[in-house]
Amino acid sequence: DTVTTVEIFAIVVVQPADDNDPVFTNLPDTVTFSESTDSGTSLFTATASDDDSSDTNDGVTTYSLGSYTSRFYIDSSTGEIYLDDALDYDSGDTELLLQVLATDGGDGVIVTSTLTVSVTNENDNTPLFDQDVYSSITVME
């Protein structure tokens, strides 16, 4: 019997797995702003890290908001959060719980964190009288 030997050279390419979820790295519990803060003002930049390779979408994180989307907006690529609508302490805007979401670019896993936006009051309301005319009162000495 004859034994035949064959050698094969193969290149094995290992594809990275999306095995890490985004993790918020700098989100404080609370940020505080005055009710007189202008619309369009940057309030905070959320940052999430993902230990997957940035050479693929697996390591790319996008940002969104899960609450108060009419009052705030977030840049989906940078995580910068902006005030989109005026705050009014006197109308009840004293503390707003803002859900910040980070989405994994690979498997779409979404992680959520809550940022409390605390609003401080300003003396922004003109005093009002209860009636248009007041009659004089005479006081005896």
Side-chain angles (χ1 to χ4, degrees):
D1 291 336
T2 306
V3 176
T4 305
T5 302
V6 177
E7 288 185 22
I8 299 175
F9 292 97
I11 297 175
V12 178
V13 178
V14 178
Q15 296 292 329
D18 186 8
D19 54 354
N20 294 292
D21 294 337
V23 176
F24 284 103
T25 57
N26 70 333
L27 207 59
D29 292 330
T30 304
V31 292
T32 302
F33 291 93
S34 165
E35 69 175 328
S36 63
T37 301
D38 293 329
S39 294
T41 299
S42 172
L43 303 179
F44 187 78
T45 300
T47 304
S49 65
D50 186 333
D51 289 337
D52 290 315
S53 172
S54 59
D55 294 338
T56 66
N57 280 340
D58 296 347
V60 176
T61 301
T62 57
Y63 301 93
S64 59
L65 297 177
S67 60
Y68 292 105
T69 54
S70 64
R71 307 296 297 279
F72 303 91
Y73 67 93
I74 190 167
D75 183 303
S76 63
S77 60
T78 67
E80 192 164 6
I81 301 169
Y82 298 90
L83 180 63
D84 197 29
D85 190 21
L87 300 170
D88 186 8
Y89 183 94
D90 303 305
S91 295
D93 292 340
T94 58
E95 191 172 88
L96 306 170
L97 301 179
L98 188 60
Q99 286 182 315
V100 183
L101 289 67
T103 303
D104 188 308
D107 59 10
V109 169
I110 298 172
V111 294
T112 304
S113 188
T114 301
L115 175 65
T116 300
V117 178
S118 179
V119 181
T120 59
N121 196 17
E122 294 289 329
N123 186 11
D124 61 346
N125 293 313
T126 306
L128 299 175
F129 290 99
D130 293 336
Q131 58 193 54
D132 292 334
V133 177
Y134 289 86
S135 53
S136 64
I137 300 174
T138 304
V139 178
M140 301 293 286
E141 278 190 63

